[in-house]
């Protein structure tokens, strides 16, 4: 009878469970305390026949050791679970935290940078708070050019250094980065230390009314390549490759004569409308073409103003608006959507990441 009782208790002990320290302590008291069930077996042990005492004693010891081991195991499991729960922030909202996504402008900007990087262009950066010298003068802007007027440019202050007055402003284009790159990559006699092949992404500012088609700040990516014997053909091939990488292999381009102070000759580039395939639709105003950027050969005056010998070197430059390209890719009709942080609008680009 006693052996059967021991076996039943052993089976019971092996099946014990507990979820906290309080429950474990109750189990310890029930089985291992002085008034516990295992200690109570000793009263019956006195009545066991002498020839069976050894076998029964061994079984009682096995039961006692099993109870010790089981309770210690439950303590370790509970301690581990409590340690893991320490990392839970109990003040956090009960709703699941949704993963964020990249902004559509960032998606397109990164794609453009990747395309030009594969063609050998490297990134260049410069300050957003600039001076008149790098934004306008070294880019061949005339002293009375309208872009210098307060209606187009955010002027910050005027500073004087060595009796020279310097206008400080928010850059109105990333061409100022090109000027700084050209300044730092030539020797005193106008020789390039290495061919210049850079792209300059960044935010720019213009004093314009905020509407669905314009904003007081936006993003540009400009490119510059200067070396010996650079031609307009080189420019055209780079832009054709870029357009087909970004909008598809069937994309066509056309270059229309234009004017920019820092390039000569200058052109604006259109691509065949990727929505209607060039047939004509409301998006391209039924022309089959959509303008995406301005470009041209770097004006020799710009090279000389930046210290580069224009008789030995030539180059091309181009500039495009990231918002404009994003509009073309995703047909966003209102520029203000890009800066209003409407979560419903941003969620539309989750699959583009």
């Amino acid at each position: 009878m006693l052996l059967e009782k021991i076996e039943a208790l052993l089976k019971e002990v092996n099946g014990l469970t507990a979820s906290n320290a309080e429950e474990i302590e109750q189990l310890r008291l029930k089985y291992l305390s002085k008034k516990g069930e295992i200690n109570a077996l000793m009263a019956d042990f006195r009545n066991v026949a002498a020839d069976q005492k050894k076998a029964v004693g061994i079984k009682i010891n096995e039961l006692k050791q099993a109870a010790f081991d089981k309770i210690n195991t439950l303590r370790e499991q509970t301690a581990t679970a409590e340690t893991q729960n320490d990392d839970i922030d109990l003040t956090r909202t009960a709703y699941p935290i949704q993963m964020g996504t990249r902004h559509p402008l960032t998606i397109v900007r990164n794609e453009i940078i990747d395309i030009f990087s594969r063609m050998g262009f490297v990134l260049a950066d410069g300050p957003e708070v600039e001076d008149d010298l790098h934004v306008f003068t070294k880019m061949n802007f005339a002293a009375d050019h309208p872009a210098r007027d307060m209606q187009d440019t955010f002027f910050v202050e005027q500073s004087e250094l060595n009796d020279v007055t310097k206008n400080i402003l928010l850059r109105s284009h990333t061409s100022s980065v090109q000027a700084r790159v050209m300044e730092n990559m030539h020797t005193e006699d106008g020789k390039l230390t290495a061919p210049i092949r850079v792209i300059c992404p960044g935010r720019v500012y213009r004093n314009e009314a905020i509407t669905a088609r314009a904003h007081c700040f936006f993003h540009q990516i400009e490119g510059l390549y200067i070396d010996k014997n650079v031609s307009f053909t080189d420019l055209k091939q780079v832009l054709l490759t870029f357009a087909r990488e970004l909008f598809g292999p069937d994309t066509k381009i056309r270059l229309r004569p234009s004017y920019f102070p820092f390039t000569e000759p200058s052109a604006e580039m259109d691509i065949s409308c990727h929505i209607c395939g060039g047939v004509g639709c409301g998006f391209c105003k039924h022309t089959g073409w959509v303008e995406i950027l301005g470009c041209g050969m770097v004006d020799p005056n710009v090279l000389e103003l930046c210290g580069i010998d224009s008789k030995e070197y030539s180059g091309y430059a181009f500039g495009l608006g990231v918002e404009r390209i994003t509009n073309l890719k995703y047909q966003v009709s209102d520029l203000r959507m890009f800066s209003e942080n409407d979560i419903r609008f941003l969620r539309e680009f989750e699959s583009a990441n």
Side-chain angles (χ1 to χ4, degrees):
M1 289 291 294
L2 184 57
L3 285 175
E4 293 178 359
K5 190 175 182 180
I6 293 172
E7 289 293 339
L9 280 173
L10 182 60
K11 185 176 181 180
E12 185 178 318
V13 165
N14 289 331
L16 293 178
T17 60
S19 58
N20 54 56
E22 185 178 349
E23 291 181 2
I24 294 173
E25 179 62 15
Q26 292 299 322
L27 293 176
R28 187 192 70 80
L29 293 174
K30 178 180 179 181
Y31 293 101
L32 296 173
S33 66
K34 289 183 179 181
K35 296 182 180 180
E37 295 193 21
I38 294 176
N39 203 45
L41 294 175
M42 300 307 296
D44 296 332
F45 182 71
R46 298 188 186 95
N47 301 322
V48 175
D51 59 338
Q52 296 181 0
K53 280 186 179 294
K54 182 177 180 180
V56 173
I58 291 174
K59 282 293 184 181
I60 291 176
N61 287 333
E62 288 180 358
L63 172 62
K64 190 173 184 178
Q65 187 62 46
F68 270 116
D69 292 343
K70 185 65 176 181
I71 288 174
N72 287 334
T73 299
L74 291 174
R75 282 174 177 162
E76 291 175 1
Q77 292 174 349
T78 303
T80 301
E82 289 176 351
T83 302
Q84 292 175 345
N85 290 336
D86 287 344
D87 296 332
I88 298 176
D89 182 3
L90 298 180
T91 64
R92 192 179 67 185
T93 176
Y95 297 101
I97 298 176
Q98 295 183 341
M99 294 296 291
T101 63
R102 287 187 174 88
H103 194 278
L105 295 180
T106 302
I107 297 171
V108 173
R109 173 185 178 273
N110 291 345
E111 188 174 357
I112 294 171
I113 290 173
D114 178 66
I115 292 171
F116 283 113
S117 296
R118 286 187 272 118
M119 289 191 282
F121 289 81
V122 297
L123 285 176
D125 195 12
E128 293 184 12
V129 181
E130 260 288 8
D131 55 44
D132 179 278
L133 177 67
H134 292 91
V135 174
F136 295 127
T137 303
K138 292 203 171 187
M139 287 292 106
N140 202 35
F141 282 77
D144 58 351
H145 195 283
R148 295 175 180 263
D149 194 277
M150 282 293 292
Q151 293 179 354
D152 295 318
T153 306
F154 287 109
F155 284 93
V156 179
E157 65 178 12
Q158 284 188 338
S159 62
E160 292 188 6
L161 181 64
N162 299 328
D163 297 327
V164 177
T165 300
K166 180 185 292 186
N167 289 317
I168 306 301
L169 50 93
L170 300 181
R171 66 185 182 189
S172 55
H173 50 195
T174 51
S175 300
S176 58
V177 182
Q178 298 181 26
R180 291 187 175 275
V181 170
M182 287 187 281
E183 281 181 343
N184 297 322
M185 293 190 65
H186 66 78
T187 59
E188 292 184 0
D189 59 355
K191 305 293 184 182
L192 290 183
T193 55
I196 298 174
R197 192 194 295 262
V198 297
I199 50 173
C200 315
R203 179 176 289 184
V204 299
Y205 306 84
R206 294 182 187 175
N207 192 2
E208 298 182 2
I210 298 176
T211 67
R213 299 176 60 85
H215 211 290
C216 62
F217 71 86
F218 52 99
H219 301 79
Q220 283 187 335
I221 295 181
E222 296 197 15
L224 175 69
Y225 176 43
I226 298 177
D227 201 355
K228 295 180 179 180
N229 303 316
V230 178
S231 69
F232 202 94
T233 302
D234 299 323
L235 170 62
K236 182 179 179 180
Q237 187 58 50
V238 164
L239 295 180
L240 177 61
T241 302
F242 161 70
R244 289 181 173 174
E245 285 285 328
L246 190 63
F247 294 103
D250 297 327
T251 303
K252 299 177 182 178
I253 68 170
R254 73 176 183 183
L255 297 169
R256 294 178 288 103
S258 186
Y259 168 76
F260 303 108
F262 35 83
T263 54
E264 180 59 37
S266 303
E268 291 182 342
M269 190 181 90
D270 302 332
I271 62 168
S272 54
C273 181
H274 64 289
I275 296 176
C276 64
V279 177
C281 65
F283 189 78
C284 63
K285 299 179 181 178
H286 302 284
T287 64
W289 297 93
V290 181
E291 177 194 342
I292 67 167
L293 58 82
C295 61
M297 301 300 294
V298 178
D299 193 298
N301 288 338
V302 173
L303 296 176
E304 296 292 343
L305 288 167
C306 293
I308 297 174
D309 186 356
S310 62
K311 294 182 177 60
E312 186 173 357
Y313 298 99
S314 58
Y316 61 72
F318 56 85
L320 54 91
V322 179
E323 280 85 349
R324 176 66 170 164
I325 301 297
T326 307
N327 280 344
L328 294 177
K329 284 183 68 68
Y330 300 116
Q331 301 178 45
V332 180
S333 59
D334 193 333
L335 283 178
R336 293 170 293 191
M337 296 295 293
F338 293 129
S339 55
E340 290 180 349
N341 293 325
D342 188 326
I343 192 66
R344 296 167 298 178
F345 170 72
L346 297 177
R347 281 175 179 165
E348 296 179 13
F349 300 90
E350 290 179 348
S351 62
N353 284 271

